[in-house]
Amino acid sequence: MEQNNTPAVLLIYTGGTIGMIQNSETGALESFAFERLIRNVPELKRFECRIDVHQFAKPIDSSDMHPSVWSELVRIISGNYHKYDGFVILHGTDTMAYTASALSFMLEGLCKPVVLTGSQLPIGMLRTDGKENLITAIEIASARDEQGHPLVPEVCIFFENCLLRGNRTTKINAENFDAFRSYNYPPLAVAGINIKYDRDKIAKVDFSQSLKPHLNLDTNVIVLTLFPGIQENVISNLFRTAGLKAVVLKTFGAGNAPQQPWFIELLKRAIADGIIIVNISQCLAGMVQMKLYETGLRLLDAGVISGYDCTVECILTKLMFLLGENKSQYEVSELMNTPLAGEFTV
């Protein structure tokens, strides 16, 4: 794009509550034509930027989100990358953090905003949060700095006045408008009367680099949440799952786990068999520190990888991404200890 041109934003509608209407007979929320959503937001015509729309043929409910849709989003963004200054993805809230995390890895070399947003109430309802979320997301996606570069060149989520790094975000509330949190990384921007950007926290990129899209993901991963009294046969059977390549191990506190010899032996055997095991905390805030307590040290000695202060959405999608790139167990282990898109604190 020429820097002196009017900014252009591609609005990608995947589905979600923002584009739903209440069925008068059943009372259930159902998807409706995207054109109706546009009619409910006449303010879009007042933007000093061009807004084009790409609509999925069939709106996708958030709970039906699938990695194949992430690949399709990457195709859409990469295929239109040089035509637009930024991208806004309308998405259901339930799996928005998974999609944002996945895209942060799949869009290597990204130098433009990809802003995901949605709503807790449909756009046509009187008290909807969707209108403000959509309008502000578009404004952020089209914003430029003094040099004419995109102001927020990364994948992020805008919701209820906060712009959050996509792979640092998780949904924490199903009822309130402030549905998302980023516990271990501050907001990139806060929208009030003005949008206040925290430029020190926004990704620093080389604007001369080219986008390198990645389409392949491997979903042979699973989450294992530990709890007091978990049985040996449960974990043993899980590790014998056909095709299993990686396990996200949700431990206690700073990354601690039971000390029973059978548990440590199962971990060692699984890792020896080529299964990657990554340790993240069940706590929403804080970091795994496996060198802090003896319980964590035993996991480290067994070959378990630290997940630092990553969200479960981030760890899962990063593993899918790396495994989809056909990386070896050693390569995956090394890259899990390397921030690829600002996903953990170093």
Side-chain angles (χ1 to χ4, degrees):
M1 300 271 321
E2 293 295 329
Q3 297 295 350
N4 58 355
N5 282 354
T6 300
V9 172
L10 182 62
L11 183 59
I12 305 170
Y13 175 62
T14 68
T17 300
I18 194 168
M20 288 185 170
I21 190 170
Q22 194 169 43
N23 185 303
S24 58
E25 295 182 3
T26 66
L29 294 176
E30 299 174 349
S31 298
F32 63 81
F34 185 76
E35 290 74 17
R36 183 165 181 172
L37 185 149
I38 295 296
R39 289 200 300 272
N40 276 279
V41 194
E43 293 89 344
L44 295 180
K45 297 178 181 178
R46 297 170 55 187
F47 268 103
E48 294 182 1
C49 72
R50 190 179 90 245
I51 302 172
D52 294 335
V53 175
H54 181 102
Q55 179 180 0
F56 276 47
K58 182 179 179 182
I60 301 167
D61 186 88
S62 186
S63 58
D64 285 327
M65 188 52 59
H66 189 271
S68 62
V69 180
W70 302 339
S71 298
E72 181 60 23
L73 286 169
V74 170
R75 290 188 188 94
I76 294 167
I77 292 170
S78 61
N80 292 280
Y81 193 67
H82 298 294
K83 300 177 185 177
Y84 297 96
D85 295 278
F87 303 84
V88 172
I89 300 174
L90 295 181
H91 194 291
T93 59
D94 288 347
T95 54
M96 188 184 292
Y98 289 94
T99 298
S101 294
L103 293 180
S104 75
F105 303 119
M106 299 170 76
L107 294 167
E108 182 182 353
L110 180 70
C111 293
K112 297 182 179 183
V114 175
V115 186
L116 287 86
T117 194
S119 67
Q120 295 285 67
L121 288 175
I123 199 85
M125 296 185 71
L126 186 62
R127 294 181 53 251
T128 183
D129 54 327
K131 185 178 292 189
E132 184 175 335
N133 286 346
L134 174 57
I135 290 170
T136 310
I138 292 173
E139 185 173 347
I140 291 168
S142 61
R144 298 171 176 175
D145 64 16
E146 296 80 2
Q147 289 74 44
H149 294 136
L151 202 53
V152 188
E154 60 175 291
V155 179
C156 42
I157 288 175
F158 180 80
F159 222 88
E160 187 62 9
N161 300 324
C162 280
L163 183 70
L164 308 173
R165 175 163 292 166
N167 58 30
R168 292 291 197 127
T169 308
T170 193
K171 184 177 180 182
I172 55 93
N173 200 307
E175 296 182 354
N176 294 342
F177 287 149
D178 57 341
F180 291 91
R181 287 286 189 281
S182 173
Y183 286 100
N184 293 316
Y185 199 76
L188 306 180
V190 176
I193 295 175
N194 299 301
I195 302 176
K196 296 181 179 180
Y197 296 92
D198 189 340
R199 299 199 183 187
D200 289 337
K201 298 298 184 293
I202 295 170
K204 307 298 186 294
V205 301
D206 177 1
F207 287 102
S208 66
Q209 67 185 337
S210 298
L211 180 70
K212 184 179 178 182
H214 298 268
L215 300 174
N216 297 322
L217 297 162
D218 190 327
T219 60
N220 286 296
V221 299
I222 201 164
V223 178
L224 171 59
T225 302
L226 298 181
F227 57 88
I230 191 168
Q231 296 297 305
E232 178 179 357
N233 67 303
V234 172
I235 300 177
S236 177
N237 288 332
L238 182 144
F239 284 153
R240 288 200 294 268
T241 301
L244 182 64
K245 295 181 180 178
V247 175
V248 179
L249 185 67
K250 295 186 71 176
T251 57
F252 309 118
N256 303 309
Q259 293 300 289
Q260 288 94 332
W262 64 260
F263 178 70
I264 301 299
E265 185 57 34
L266 282 177
L267 295 179
K268 289 181 178 179
R269 195 182 312 156
I271 293 167
D273 289 340
I275 295 175
I276 298 152
I277 302 178
V278 184
N279 181 6
I280 66 169
S281 175
Q282 295 178 29
C283 301
L284 291 171
M287 178 179 290
V288 163
Q289 300 180 63
M290 289 197 287
K291 295 181 180 180
L292 189 61
Y293 299 103
E294 182 183 356
T295 54
L297 274 172
R298 294 194 67 189
L299 297 182
L300 192 63
D301 291 341
V304 175
I305 304 165
S306 175
Y308 300 92
D309 57 355
C310 287
T311 65
V312 65
E313 296 94 335
C314 172
I315 288 292
L316 273 172
T317 55
K318 186 175 181 179
L319 285 167
M320 290 181 189
F321 165 70
L322 294 174
L323 293 169
E325 294 288 295
N326 293 316
K327 304 289 186 184
S328 68
Q329 184 182 18
Y330 173 78
E331 289 173 317
V332 172
S333 298
E334 288 294 301
L335 290 169
M336 291 304 294
N337 285 304
T338 305
L340 304 181
E343 67 272 19
F344 65 82
T345 305
V346 292

